[in-house]
Amino acid sequence: MNDANRAALAAALARPAWQATRYELLPIAGMQEAAGALPEGAVVTVTCSPRHGLERTLEATEWLAGAGFRVVPHLAARLVRDRAHLERLLGRLAVVGVDDAFVVGGDAERPVGAYPHGRALLEAMAGLTQRPARLGVPAYPEGHHRIGAADLQHDLEAKAALADYAVTQLCFEARPLQAWRERQRRLGLSLPVHAGIPGVMEPRRLLAIALRLGLGPSVRSLRRRSGWVARLLRPADYRPEALVEELRPALGDLAGGFVGLHVYTFNRVEPTRRWLEGLQDRVPIRASADEPDAQAATPAGEPLA
């Protein structure tokens, strides 16, 4: 991690934890309207799918950057053809002032070119002058349906030398996140980590997403808790307040906790933002690295890795 990244992280920790929240958007119909509900200057990540491809992600990135947001496009390695294609992609990002990207393998069945996984793309970007100042990578506290635990760990450790931060897959419970983060701390992972949580959404849609993604302990917990599932089927929106409350002690702890929240909004931005802003008043969170109770820290999903 270079001095510029350390300075950026220090600045992030000096702000209220809620200001470090990242909002993930899908580049589909209605995205621009959803973006209208974001806080001014928010950090917005833009996903990339085999169906819509990198071009859709880049077009959305350019629009969001023009609207004044700090944009983090997802770059899916399996959709990048070769070095020339990669240089063109990075050139477009540089033109609109984007200096942060999230590198994933991607869900495409077969790579279209020379980069079968995220690590290969990171290695290629390391030698380019147009490499963004910050690169993020995915982490999987609840495992991945196509990749074994040992391979996931090895991959994350290899990426740590090439990236600047990690973002966890969508999780519905704090326990898997906390256990994974403690294990990574013991193993010496130096990357700052953003905790991936769901936004506010319709309960039935949330349950469908959870079951489709197969999110390990979280989904097993949903199946065990018949009362919880019954609440999911009520008309009122789901809000992950219990999850955030359990994560509260670890938020803002760069060394062994989570530098901030990464909210998977599925483009339901307006209710998610209202909930987060209301939660700030109800759930106290360590706000600044300069406050007496803040722990000192020294920097040391989604698609396939």
Side-chain angles (χ1 to χ4, degrees), residues 27 57 82 94 101 106 119 132 134 153 199 204 218 228 256 265 275 281 296 305:
T57 297
D82 51 30
R119 188 174 71 253
R134 286 170 51 77
Q153 184 63 38
R204 290 178 183 272
S218 286
W228 202 91
T265 72
W275 167 72
D281 298 327

Side-chain angles (χ1 to χ4, degrees), residues 54 58 75 79-80 84-94:
L54 284 163
L58 290 177
L75 299 180
L79 298 180
V80 180
H85 185 204
L86 175 59
E87 290 177 340
R88 287 196 296 273
L89 294 174
L90 298 182
R92 286 178 65 174
L93 299 183

Side-chain angles (χ1 to χ4, degrees), residues 112-177:
V112 299
Y115 310 109
H117 44 64
R119 188 174 71 253
L121 191 62
L122 285 168
E123 291 168 348
M125 293 171 71
L128 299 179
T129 58
Q130 290 180 314
R131 177 196 186 277
R134 286 170 51 77
L135 293 176
V137 293
Y140 300 91
E142 297 197 353
H144 195 287
H145 64 290
R146 295 187 187 179
I147 307 174
D151 288 336
L152 281 176
Q153 184 63 38
H154 178 268
D155 193 57
L156 180 60
E157 291 172 358
K159 290 177 179 178
L162 300 165
D164 302 282
Y165 64 91
V167 177
T168 77
Q169 69 197 125
L170 173 65
C171 291
F172 297 91
E173 284 196 316
R175 191 176 305 169
L177 277 165

Side-chain angles (χ1 to χ4, degrees), residues 78 85 189 237 259:
R78 291 184 164 215
H85 185 204
L189 180 72
D237 279 344
V259 70

Side-chain angles (χ1 to χ4, degrees), residues 173-196:
E173 284 196 316
R175 191 176 305 169
L177 277 165
Q178 292 164 331
W180 176 87
R181 191 65 186 93
E182 173 58 21
R183 179 169 181 264
Q184 298 306 319
R185 186 194 65 79
R186 292 197 307 268
L187 292 172
L189 180 72
S190 60
L191 291 179
V193 180
H194 295 261

Side-chain angles (χ1 to χ4, degrees), residues 189-262:
L189 180 72
S190 60
L191 291 179
V193 180
H194 295 261
I197 69 168
V200 174
M201 67 181 70
E202 303 93 335
R204 290 178 183 272
R205 185 181 183 195
L206 179 65
L207 184 58
I209 290 169
L211 295 173
R212 176 170 56 83
L213 295 178
L215 294 176
S218 286
V219 173
R220 288 195 291 272
S221 174
L222 294 184
R223 287 170 172 160
R224 286 196 306 269
R225 300 181 185 180
S226 57
W228 202 91
V229 172
R231 288 196 295 275
L232 274 181
L233 299 179
R234 293 174 183 172
D237 279 344
Y238 165 82
R239 295 172 174 79
E241 295 199 12
L243 168 59
V244 174
E245 168 59 17
E246 289 185 58
L247 291 176
R248 181 195 61 78
L251 290 177
D253 176 6
L254 178 60
F258 300 96
V259 70
L261 299 174
H262 180 101

Side-chain angles (χ1 to χ4, degrees), residues 22 72-76 100-104 135-139 165-167 302:
R22 299 155 55 96
V72 184
H74 290 205
L75 299 180
D100 193 343
F102 191 64
V103 178
V104 297
L135 293 176
V137 293
Y165 64 91
V167 177
E302 144 100 348

